[in-house]
Amino acid sequence: MAAHGGSFDGVERRGLMFVLSSPSGAGKTTLSRLLIERMPGLNMSVSVTTRPMRPGEVEGRDYYFVDKIRFEEMVKRHDLLEWATVFDNRYGTPRAPVEAALSAGRDVLFDIDWQGTQQLREKARADVVSVFILPPSAADLEKRLHTRAQDSDEVIRARMSRASHEMSHWAEYDYIVINRNVDEAFAEVQSILKAERLKRERRIGLTTFVRELQRQLEP
Ligand code: 5GP
């Protein structure tokens, strides 16, 4: 699945799949947006969902909004890299854009839940880097869910009770970031991506690069 591709320092590198998960309201959407804005070489994976569009959301930017029949078709045709049911709605990752980005040597950012992360890990363990974002407190999570004012009280209550279940999967992730403050959390997530990009195993062009260095050094 992973591709051979571009680099920022002249050494060819495998693209990686960078996954952010968290209970909703922990700030993951803001962190994803900042990463896309500030980290070159990173593409956002835009999911398909059967849930209704929220105010302020944009088709093709936040999600592709589809009905249940279309979603089932995509599952049957293996158009989705992973998919899951969350809050009675279906969510899935279109396969083609991810494969195209990885083959072009870009990294891909996923905002998906623990079920999707498990599926990606099963398919491409070596290429998946997963980060779980925790809220600093339950009160903070509730406040953020209310402030974003996109959901009804009933939906917020359901999201709060689901948060604890969602969080029980924290130990399956490679990294944990506690989002006390968006700037600090962003700096941490950014450092993780920067370090993972430098991992020796991903830098498939290193052998040639080092050989060339040695050749130049030898008399
Ligand atoms: P929301 O409805 O708040 O946008 O998303 C609800 C949950 O679904 C979030 O935890 C989000 O990460 C997750 N989610 C969004 N897209 C996908 C997807 O394509 N696959 C999976 N497995 N989860 C997704």
Side-chain angles (χ1 to χ4, degrees), residues 22-28 31 132-145 163 167 176-182 184-185:
S22 74
S24 46
K28 174 184 46 166
L31 291 173
F132 199 86
I133 315 286
L134 286 172
S137 67
D140 185 273
L141 187 74
E142 186 168 9
K143 197 174 83 197
R144 284 192 221 198
L145 286 172
M167 272 184 240
I176 309 296
V177 168
I178 301 174
N179 188 5
R180 293 198 172 82
N181 154 314
V182 70
E184 273 171 35

Side-chain angles (χ1 to χ4, degrees), residues 28 47 51 54 63 82 84 91-93 111-113 116 159:
K28 174 184 46 166
S47 299
R51 86 148 160 72
R54 297 191 188 120
Y63 284 104
E82 62 73 35
Y91 295 82
T93 301
D111 169 345
I112 59 176
D113 79 338
R159 285 180 185 271

Side-chain angles (χ1 to χ4, degrees), residues 32-46:
S32 303
R33 188 177 43 75
L34 290 173
L35 277 171
I36 293 294
E37 278 170 18
R38 301 192 194 165
M39 294 294 282
L42 185 64
N43 279 26
M44 184 81 211
S45 164
V46 179

